[in-house]
Amino acid sequence: MAMRTLKTEPPVAPSALPDLLDFIRHPSISTDPARKTEVAACAEWLATYLRQGGLETKVHPTPGHPIIVSRAPIKPGRPTLMIYGHYDVQPVDPIELWDNDPFEPIVRDGFIIARGATDNKGQIMAHIRGVIDDLTEHGELPLNVFFLIEGEEEIGSANLVPFLREYKKELACDVVAVSDTGMVAPRVPTFTYGLRGIAALEVKIHGPAMDLHSGMFGGAILNPATVAGRLVAALHDDCERVRIPGFYDDVIPLADWERESWARLPITDDDYLKMTGAPSLHGEKGYSALERIAGRPTAEVNGIGGGYQGAGTKTVIPSEAFVKLTFRLVPGQCPEKILRAAETFFRDNAPLAVRVVIEPGHSAPAYLTDPQSGFGRAACRALERAWERPPALIREGGSIPVVQSFKEILGVDTLLLGLALPDCRAHSPNETFPVENFQRGILMSRLLMEEIAAMVG
Ligand code: BES
Ligand code: MN
């Protein structure tokens, strides 16, 4: 097939911007049962949009939120690219820290501000527009393309994995592209060749049968909130290494070439300090901030609670307390093994005067791919052409649970071509996405199709 050479200047007027804003207006918070109909409405809106763009689109119900499969006209004999993304978003709280309604996007100084702007609506919409624009302009695409867009990425993709098994034939493809990762700095295209895995766990600590008067009983009853604090305190040693026995046993250490090349990237410890607003950086001894985030496993307390949370004081011994944790995992570590080790650790460290209930949650292993593979190089060429400079190669600390399942079930690699900026505030108040990244993302998606198609002539 003749190569259709795209102009590489990003379009000046982002004509698709109003469409993206409409997409963002759907409050598709997957974790909130009260939003179930709004999540479904978001899926329907997106499906209609894809159909209008000329793609054959199906919305598959699941026990949770629907999964969308949307296919461009089939081209026999051409390779097939699957583009994966998610239409669900994280909760908006603390709502009082937002400058605007999180679902009424504003565009200020070239940035879209809203929940989901970056993660993942802006990024998946860039691909949708790229595909639809290419199809509209040329009447056909240079290869087969279909979208798989789910509504449960932010809660662990539990229904997507069985879906992959059930629809394995229909979802057959040569490679997957995902834009749901970061760029190391503004205007620095980034190919992410690895992600951390994740393993979630909740520890519930039950004490007395009811909240008790802390004067009448304090001193004679073990306080579950105290136990929660002790268990959390026991998790790390003085070097900030995780104290769970066996936690590091299977960790594949960072390679020398990775440490050397990461050190040359335009992102420093100082940048992390500025981005986070923390008083200082802190973490496992012997590693830079980037190495700690992208290449080392961690134990994070995501929430801790129990007892009186209201205004003023209330003198009680709470009857129960909880700790919500996630472990971020690196290549080599097995999520189930880590969850078992953590459970044993918490049981061994909990005193007999409380009853501890441990609930393992979602989990997924880390992901690693070869940036020098044929597809990896095609992705890097697309990134380079879209941003007019060679891409940085990096691993990242976040997780996209399903990418390892694409490998295991569908037998294909995933190309991670992220458009998120380090300070995009994903999962935080005032999430932002630059309009420029949307524009260049559309271009990148088109160039990616062109580059993959050109690999096979
Ligand atoms: N886009 C992120 C994943 C990500 C973030 C990758 C930063 C690379 C860098 C994704 O939407 C996400 O937030 N995933 C969750 C998954 C979890 C809830 C199972 C995450 O990493 O916390
Ligand atoms: Mn996310």
Side-chain angles (χ1 to χ4, degrees):
M1 174 183 288
M3 192 153 132
R4 303 166 310 160
T5 315
L6 275 165
K7 281 207 251 70
T8 47
E9 306 95 67
V12 198
S15 59
L17 186 57
D19 300 344
L20 172 57
L21 301 186
D22 281 346
F23 184 21
I24 288 173
R25 284 190 187 98
H26 292 270
S28 47
I29 305 171
S30 50
T31 201
D32 185 353
R35 298 285 195 180
K36 198 166 163 74
T37 36
E38 282 149 308
V39 178
C42 185
E44 286 302 334
W45 179 91
L46 190 58
T48 304
Y49 190 78
L50 288 156
R51 283 183 198 119
Q52 283 167 354
L55 281 77
E56 197 187 301
T57 304
K58 213 172 156 194
V59 181
H60 297 263
T62 78
H65 303 302
I67 296 168
I68 300 172
V69 179
S70 180
R71 200 174 291 273
I74 294 182
K75 300 190 59 84
R78 302 298 301 167
T80 300
L81 167 68
M82 169 167 117
I83 303 174
Y84 162 82
H86 62 97
Y87 65 84
D88 65 321
V89 299
Q90 285 272 331
V92 296
D93 62 287
I95 185 81
E96 63 278 7
L97 296 184
W98 284 82
D99 296 338
N100 55 296
D101 178 339
F103 296 111
E104 196 35 73
I106 55 171
V107 182
R108 191 168 59 206
D109 303 330
F111 286 85
I112 306 161
I113 306 170
R115 171 56 84 234
T118 278
D119 187 5
N120 175 242
K121 288 173 171 167
Q123 298 189 73
I124 186 64
M125 195 60 156
H127 284 281
I128 293 172
R129 275 317 322 173
V131 167
I132 294 177
D133 288 355
D134 214 71
L135 193 56
T136 313
E137 255 171 58
H138 300 282
E140 59 168 14
L141 299 177
L143 74 176
N144 291 298
V145 176
F146 70 90
F147 287 96
L148 176 69
I149 308 177
E150 68 156 321
E152 298 188 307
E153 194 272 350
E154 299 289 5
I155 49 174
S157 302
N159 289 301
L160 187 58
V161 175
F163 186 86
L164 295 182
R165 289 211 177 86
E166 193 181 338
Y167 289 90
K168 193 175 158 173
K169 259 207 183 127
E170 224 183 297
L171 300 174
C173 55
D174 296 285
V175 70
V176 183
V178 179
S179 290
D180 195 18
T181 49
M183 295 170 61
V184 296
R187 301 214 166 96
V188 180
T190 303
F191 183 82
T192 297
Y193 65 92
L195 291 171
R196 285 197 291 189
I198 191 163
L201 185 85
E202 180 160 355
V203 184
K204 289 187 172 144
I205 303 142
H206 299 275
M210 70 219 90
D211 285 7
L212 298 173
H213 191 297
S214 63
M216 289 167 70
F217 297 98
I221 293 290
L222 182 56
N223 185 321
T226 304
V227 176
R230 285 186 188 149
L231 291 179
V232 167
L235 266 175
H236 295 91
D237 69 12
D238 291 345
C239 298
E240 290 301 343
R241 280 172 66 89
V242 178
R243 285 185 60 242
I244 296 172
F247 188 78
Y248 294 95
D249 281 3
D250 305 318
V251 167
I252 299 173
L254 276 158
D256 290 341
W257 72 266
E258 294 183 291
R259 300 190 77 170
E260 282 156 24
S261 72
W262 293 5
R264 288 194 301 269
L265 292 173
I267 185 149
T268 63
D269 279 16
D270 208 43
D271 293 325
Y272 278 107
L273 193 58
K274 286 203 191 92
M275 258 181 314
T276 57
S280 73
L281 293 177
H282 190 81
E284 189 182 356
K285 225 172 157 172
Y287 296 94
S288 71
L290 180 60
E291 288 170 347
R292 288 167 177 164
I293 291 168
R296 297 296 297 168
T298 61
E300 298 295 338
V301 179
N302 303 127
I304 180 165
Y308 183 62
Q309 312 278 322
T313 62
K314 183 182 182 204
T315 47
V316 286
I317 298 170
S319 86
E320 52 187 46
F322 68 86
V323 185
K324 288 176 188 277
L325 298 136
T326 45
F327 300 95
R328 293 285 170 170
L329 311 177
V330 298
Q333 287 180 298
C334 163
E336 291 78 25
K337 198 168 155 190
I338 293 298
L339 286 176
R340 278 196 302 272
E343 180 163 354
T344 307
F345 174 82
F346 288 122
R347 289 206 188 291
D348 289 352
N349 280 275
L352 290 172
V354 289
R355 190 168 53 86
V356 167
V357 176
I358 293 171
E359 288 174 4
H362 60 76
S363 67
Y367 180 72
L368 204 54
T369 185
D370 177 10
Q372 305 304 338
S373 72
F375 288 122
R377 289 204 309 270
C380 287
R381 283 194 298 273
L383 282 166
E384 174 156 3
R385 288 173 67 196
W387 291 92
E388 295 156 59
R389 59 178 282 184
L393 299 185
I394 189 71
R395 287 204 252 155
E396 283 192 88
S399 310
I400 304 176
V402 80
V403 290
Q404 187 60 33
S405 307
F406 291 150
K407 181 95 212 172
E408 279 161 22
I409 300 168
L410 306 178
V412 289
D413 280 323
T414 297
L415 308 167
L416 299 160
L417 314 110
L419 299 166
L421 293 188
D423 59 355
C424 66
R425 301 195 206 102
H427 298 203
S428 300
N430 301 320
E431 179 176 347
T432 67
F433 188 55
V435 176
E436 181 185 5
N437 288 26
F438 183 47
Q439 294 172 244
R440 289 200 194 256
I442 295 170
L443 179 60
M444 176 199 76
S445 185
R446 300 182 68 172
L447 293 166
L448 180 68
M449 291 189 279
E450 192 178 282
E451 289 289 351
I452 293 177
M455 279 171 68
V456 287

